[in-house]
Structures are given as C-alpha cells and as structure tokens.
Amino acid sequence: MKDENHYINRSGWLRAAVLGANDGILSTASLVIGIAAASASREPIILAAAAGVTAGALSMAAGEYVSVSSQEDIEKSDLKREKMELESDPDAELEELIGIYEKRGLKTGLAREVALALTAHNALETHARDELGINEMTQANPFMAALASALSFIIGGLLPLLTALFAPVSQMVAYQYAFSILFLALSGTMAAKAGGSNVPKAVMRICIWGTFAMAASALVGWLFGVQAP
C-alpha cells in the first residue's frame, strides 16, 4: 500500500519556522537598510544587524512561547471540562457525538454504532478530536514552537548580517535589498514545498511585502540621515 504524504502534521513547527526565518531576513535587512541609508560607515550597520538578530530571536521565542502556551492552556481547559462532562452525563455526550457524525453524513444507525465503538475505545480522545478539534498532530507545543522560531530567526537574520559584513558600504542598500529578496524567495519556496502549497504564490506574497517593508525602512533612514547634523 502506497504511503500518503500529508502536511497538516507539520503545521505547528512549520508555521513557527517560516515566520521566524522570514522575520529574521526581513526585519534584520530592513533595520540594516534604514541604518545604511543614514550612515556612511560600516560599524553602526554591523552593530544594528547583530543587535537585531539577537533581540529578534529572543523576542520571537518569547512571543511564540506565550502565544502557543495560551493555546495549550485553552486546550487543557477544554479537555478537563469535557472529561467532567463525560463522567457526569455520558449519555448526553454520546448523543452529542452521534449528532456530530450525522451532520457529517452518516445515517443515524451507523452514527450511533460508530459513536458507541469509539466511545468504548477512548471516549475523551474521541470527543477531543471530533467535538473540540484537538488531536496529536495539531496539539499545541509551546517549547517546540519557541525553539523553531528562535533558530529560524537566527538563520534568517544571519543572511543580512553576512551581507552587511562584506557588501560595499556605498551600495549597502541595493545589496541588502537584492540579497534579501533572493533569501525571501528561497525561504518562500522551501516553505511552500514543505507545506505542499503553491510556490509562485508564496514567493510573490513574501517578496511584495518584503519590498514594502525595506522601502519604508530606507525612507525613514534617509529622512533622519538628511536631518542629522
């Protein structure tokens, strides 16, 4: 029997990794472009890039951990409530499960038979999956999400940092933009392939928004640089 490839089990860590990598590339490059537009020396550009990578990675990890932890708390609370309901009124919960299966297209007799069999096997797991939409593949994992975000941000942020180290200072804005768009396109391609989605659409989306972000940063840097004594 041929194995089927499914992508939903990757959704948790893939979302965090893609967000981290893209944010690492885009935020670091935008920061460097803003500084480069206002400075004629390399030192402040490199310092800004290094500080941006460090602060961004920690911020992404903390934000993702808090966000996913909140989701995990909600899931645990729902599971606890569902367990209490199964213990206090199992008949009502069984009827609720039968109703769910009927809405999905099963006839009443078959829906009852399926509900009874799955309830006997593992009532809480069945209600978690079919009533609450919680399963092992999509269940929140705060630590994994935080780690994926931090590491991917660092990887993404190192690319603009390396460009800041070696690109000519006089053409830093152009180099940062060109390489960042290339990096974003590669990131979008890998993310789309890993998630089984449309590659051109993913690449176009991130490149357009990346261009807007870097253009805005360049404008801010240029305006403040012109006004600086």
Side-chain angles (χ1 to χ4, degrees):
M1 183 177 179
K2 184 180 177 181
D3 292 334
E4 295 182 357
N5 292 321
H6 297 288
Y7 301 99
I8 187 64
N9 59 325
R10 305 177 184 176
S11 61
W13 65 263
L14 182 60
R15 170 188 167 276
V18 170
L19 181 62
N22 288 342
D23 198 24
I25 296 169
L26 190 52
S27 63
T28 307
S30 297
L31 180 60
V32 169
I33 286 174
I35 299 298
S39 175
S41 59
R42 189 182 299 275
E43 288 76 11
I45 296 174
I46 296 174
L47 179 60
V53 172
T54 303
L58 295 175
S59 176
M60 285 288 292
E64 195 69 23
Y65 186 86
V66 171
S67 175
V68 179
S69 291
S70 298
Q71 178 185 342
E72 185 183 42
D73 290 341
I74 293 172
E75 290 177 353
K76 287 181 177 179
S77 178
D78 282 344
L79 288 172
K80 183 178 179 180
R81 188 180 304 110
E82 193 65 30
K83 184 178 180 180
M84 292 174 60
E85 290 173 354
L86 284 167
E87 292 173 351
S88 61
D89 197 352
D91 292 337
E93 290 300 305
L94 178 62
E95 292 301 322
E96 186 176 17
L97 200 60
I98 293 170
I100 292 172
Y101 295 148
E102 287 178 336
K103 289 180 180 178
R104 293 180 182 177
L106 296 183
K107 294 187 179 299
T108 302
L110 181 57
R112 178 173 294 277
E113 184 179 345
V114 171
L116 285 169
L118 291 177
T119 298
H121 174 68
N122 191 321
L124 182 59
E125 180 185 277
T126 300
H127 281 268
R129 180 183 62 247
D130 295 329
E131 181 183 346
L132 304 177
I134 301 172
N135 58 63
E136 292 181 355
M137 291 187 294
T138 59
Q139 200 164 6
N141 188 327
F143 179 77
M144 184 63 68
L147 183 62
S149 289
L151 290 178
S152 57
F153 187 99
I154 291 172
I155 292 171
L158 284 177
L159 301 175
L161 177 57
L162 290 173
T163 305
L165 286 170
F166 298 108
V169 176
S170 60
Q171 302 174 34
M172 183 63 70
V173 172
Y175 272 85
Q176 283 290 341
Y177 174 75
F179 279 107
S180 294
I181 287 296
L182 176 61
F183 298 150
L184 288 171
L186 290 173
S187 172
T189 299
M190 290 187 293
K193 288 185 176 180
S197 56
N198 184 279
V199 173
K201 183 178 179 180
V203 170
M204 185 67 67
R205 183 169 51 208
I206 188 61
C207 287
I208 289 174
W209 282 106
T211 297
F212 282 139
M214 288 183 280
S217 298
L219 179 61
V220 170
W222 180 78
L223 289 174
F224 279 91
V226 169
Q227 296 175 6

